[in-house]
Amino acid sequence: MTAAPARIVVVGASLAGLTAAQRLRERGYAGALTLVGDEPHLPYDRPPLSKQVLRGPYSADTTLPRPPDLAVEFRLGQPATRLDLSERVVELGNSSRLPYDRLLIATGTRARPWPNPEEAALAGVFTLRGRDDAQRLGACLQAKPQRVVLVGGGFIGFEVASTCRDLDIPVTVLVRDAVPLAAALGPRLGGLIGEVARERGVDLRLESEIERMEAENGRLSAVTLKDGARIETDCLVAAIGTLRNVEWLEGSGLEADAKGLRCDAFCRVLRADGRVAEGVFCAGDIARWPNPHDDDALVAVEHWGNARAQAETAAANMLAGDTSAMRRHDHLPDFWSQQFGLTIKLVGLADGADAFAVMHGSLEARRLVAAFGRDGRTIAAASIDSARWLPAYKAAIRERAPFPPITDAVDQPGIRVQEP
Amino acid sequence: MKVVVDLNRCQAYAQCLYAAPGHFALHGKEALVYDPSPDEAARGEIERAVHACPVRAITAFSDAAPKDGETR
Ligand SMILES: Cc1cc2nc3c(=O)[nH]c(=O)nc-3n(C[C@H](O)[C@H](O)[C@H](O)COP(=O)(O)OP(=O)(O)OC[C@H]3O[C@@H](n4cnc5c(N)ncnc54)[C@H](O)[C@@H]3O)c2cc1C
Ligand code: SF4
């Protein structure tokens, strides 16, 4: 793998794919560069879709900025359907074949569809992953639905609920768990966000699930919950997680399944037998990689910052020549969300924490930095409207500082370690 | 133009709001919202915002129309 590549193909024309293309050019790659995307759109940004795009007043066009001299050949509106590792060829839906010297797989994830296909097909039932979804949901909100029902206690559901409240639309959020957002933020902070949502008029129902939907002329009219409650609604958004876009890799011999596409610390994709697939790299939501900040546990991080950072590492390694010149993807996961006028940020992974402490501010003030620990070490930190403090905690997490970290800063309350 | 802000980096310093009012705004204390697709006429302001941001969180480019044969 020492010869300089002459043809690079990127499958997945979104955040990771575009970022990789930019970095390849910045690093002096002058060969052929093709970006394949099954969506008809040029690469665009997703985070604004659940936040400002539905609310206005800004443009709904979130196409990502692209340097004018990028010189990529886009193949848009065309899925990759097959990968042949031995011939080094990607096949597209229209049967065209793209040979590559280096391949980046960045096909990301899609919204998990509502499990009952008949209900999922009703007019008024939505998921939100892409621009077209946002446009359809936006049109539904503009028409002032009587009530929006959001299913799922994750960030996207809460962001959409927040937007609906901004637009003065009645909202019910159904969460299966006892606390919303607990997987990402732990029960204390998740509970706090739930409280804020309720104050803003969200009808938040915990430990609540849909039994069935009712329809009139193919259009959603009501849902019945497992506890028997019935809610009239003409607009429902299922925000129940994601599925990885790995199906097109079936038969390729790569190790890819519902948990993601397995790669090593250098973003090199692995075959089912554990060997490196020569010349094939991956980045973004689809990638499952050994995370050095978690004892090399295999993780897939579905965050914007990881998609960018991993694409940068993959691009550098695609041009590196041999392994000794490659760098590890050692990105510390980070994430932001905006809802109900609050900015929530997280660094590290709070999942699996056994200790929690508010480090600055307070839960009552709803302005705080909190740290998460496990086995006496600091593993994550979250801020609510206090992002300026986070970089210091980022460093503490990287160093695996003893928990609680940074106990001598100014402006700190008495630190009390509690359960997360 | 096309604009994207790395909101992991953004620390709500609000410098972009002063440089390009109307294209960047705060919703609450820290939630930055921005126009991802401002008119080309705003180019000067947007470029000032890019340079004003102390953490270099803003990326902006003029619309690059796909060249002939670039798409599909
Ligand atoms: C509504 C919403 C809000 C979000 N908000 C935040 C946030 O606030 N903070 C944050 O950190 N993250 C957020 N995210 C997550 C973030 O957007 C993702 O982590 C990021 O988009 C991942 O980029 P990616 O390029 O890996 O994958 P994707 O963005 O999923 O892109 C993959 C692309 O590949 C295409 N594709 C799939 N299969 C094929 C195929 N066979 N052939 C060709 N193309 C294919 C897909 O259609 C898609 O365009 C949000 C996501 C959504 C949907
Ligand atoms: S100037 Fe930069 S850090 Fe400050 S609000 Fe704007 S984008 Fe955020």
Side-chain angles (χ1 to χ4, degrees), chain A residues 214-403:
Chain A
E214 287 170 39
E216 274 165 31
N217 305 321
R219 166 159 274 290
L220 174 74
S221 57
V223 295
T224 304
L225 307 186
K226 291 218 161 119
D227 66 9
R230 183 171 176 278
I231 303 169
E232 287 192 14
T233 176
D234 45 1
C235 179
L236 177 144
V237 186
I240 51 176
T242 56
L243 300 176
R244 297 207 160 71
N245 293 320
V246 291
E247 290 79 2
W248 71 281
L249 296 168
E250 220 168 273
S252 67
L254 296 181
E255 190 181 337
D257 58 25
K259 287 186 270 184
L261 173 61
R262 174 80 160 87
C263 66
D264 69 6
F266 304 109
C267 307
R268 294 183 299 187
V269 173
L270 302 186
R271 298 170 185 259
D273 62 13
R275 282 184 303 139
V276 167
E278 281 296 291
V280 184
F281 295 76
C282 74
D285 281 10
I286 194 174
R288 187 163 178 253
W289 46 282
N291 177 2
H293 304 291
D294 191 8
D295 300 325
D296 286 340
L298 295 178
V299 294
V301 174
E302 295 180 50
H303 297 165
W304 194 94
N306 182 65
R308 286 243 300 214
Q310 203 164 22
E312 289 172 4
T313 308
N317 291 348
M318 284 168 110
L319 302 180
D322 60 43
T323 313
S324 61
M326 290 187 183
R327 64 178 214 228
R328 284 181 68 106
H329 177 55
D330 75 344
H331 172 74
L332 185 66
D334 56 5
F335 176 83
W336 81 89
S337 173
Q338 300 168 338
Q339 46 193 285
F340 305 108
L342 300 175
T343 294
I344 303 161
K345 290 195 179 183
L346 184 75
V347 293
L349 294 170
D351 207 14
D354 59 20
F356 170 88
V358 174
M359 306 301 295
H360 306 267
S362 70
L363 292 167
E364 295 71 36
R366 291 167 182 177
R367 212 174 166 166
L368 64 107
V369 177
F372 296 85
R374 189 176 64 212
D375 302 331
R377 300 275 148 189
T378 306
I379 59 164
S383 72
I384 296 178
D385 279 356
S386 306
R388 270 164 240 182
W389 290 104
L390 269 193
Y393 288 89
K394 211 169 182 166
I397 298 161
R398 281 192 173 277
E399 291 156 17
R400 307 191 144 203
F403 186 86

Side-chain angles (χ1 to χ4, degrees), chain B residues 12-40:
Chain B
Y13 286 120
Q15 298 303 314
C16 54
L17 277 64
Y18 305 122
H23 300 288
F24 297 86
L26 284 173
H27 183 63
K29 293 191 188 76
E30 283 195 358
L32 180 72
V33 290
Y34 60 92
D35 187 351
S37 190
D39 212 78
E40 190 61 34

Side-chain angles (χ1 to χ4, degrees), chain A residues 19-278:
Chain A
T19 304
Q22 274 176 253
R23 294 299 175 264
L24 287 166
R25 291 302 189 210
E26 282 167 21
R27 288 177 169 273
Y29 173 66
L33 182 52
T34 307
L35 239 71
V36 180
D38 60 353
E39 295 187 78
H41 308 292
L42 285 161
Y44 61 88
D45 208 24
R46 295 175 202 273
L49 299 180
S50 53
K51 306 171 181 87
Q52 61 200 56
V53 167
L54 301 174
R55 180 174 58 216
Y58 292 134
S59 159
D61 177 359
T62 62
T63 304
L64 287 160
R66 201 155 41 92
D69 53 354
L70 192 61
V72 299
E73 185 197 347
F74 282 106
R75 299 285 189 103
L76 300 175
Q78 201 54 250
T81 47
R82 207 173 76 87
L83 167 61
D84 190 325
L85 287 180
S86 53
E87 287 193 48
R88 294 190 163 218
V89 163
V90 172
E91 231 172 72
L92 305 191
N94 61 4
S95 307
S96 58
R97 291 160 60 86
L98 296 176
Y100 64 83
D101 298 320
R102 301 281 187 280
L103 171 68
L104 181 73
I105 299 176
T107 46
T109 56
R110 61 185 183 272
R112 181 185 291 277
W114 182 251
N116 177 331
E118 263 171 50
E119 293 177 344
L122 293 174
V125 176
F126 302 87
T127 54
L128 179 55
R129 177 78 198 173
R131 246 174 99 162
D132 298 344
D133 302 329
Q135 200 186 3
R136 282 190 288 265
L137 178 57
C140 169
L141 298 185
Q142 294 314 311
K144 289 278 166 196
Q146 53 170 324
R147 171 170 296 274
V148 174
V149 172
L150 282 146
V151 188
F155 284 105
I156 290 181
F158 272 74
E159 288 174 359
V160 175
S162 163
T163 301
C164 290
R165 292 309 301 142
D166 288 344
L167 298 172
D168 208 23
I169 298 168
V171 183
T172 298
V173 177
L174 304 175
V175 178
R176 190 159 57 178
D177 304 324
V179 186
L181 303 169
L185 292 178
R188 273 176 213 276
L189 295 185
L192 175 70
I193 302 301
E195 228 175 78
V196 173
R198 279 199 167 122
E199 279 167 26
R200 303 290 164 97
V202 172
D203 170 28
L204 175 61
R205 307 208 186 181
L206 302 172
E207 299 185 79
S208 191
E209 277 181 78
I210 289 183
E211 176 73 39
R212 63 189 178 85
M213 297 185 192
E214 287 170 39
E216 274 165 31
N217 305 321
R219 166 159 274 290
L220 174 74
S221 57
V223 295
T224 304
L225 307 186
K226 291 218 161 119
D227 66 9
R230 183 171 176 278
I231 303 169
E232 287 192 14
T233 176
D234 45 1
C235 179
L236 177 144
V237 186
I240 51 176
T242 56
L243 300 176
R244 297 207 160 71
N245 293 320
V246 291
E247 290 79 2
W248 71 281
L249 296 168
E250 220 168 273
S252 67
L254 296 181
E255 190 181 337
D257 58 25
K259 287 186 270 184
L261 173 61
R262 174 80 160 87
C263 66
D264 69 6
F266 304 109
C267 307
R268 294 183 299 187
V269 173
L270 302 186
R271 298 170 185 259
D273 62 13
R275 282 184 303 139
V276 167
E278 281 296 291

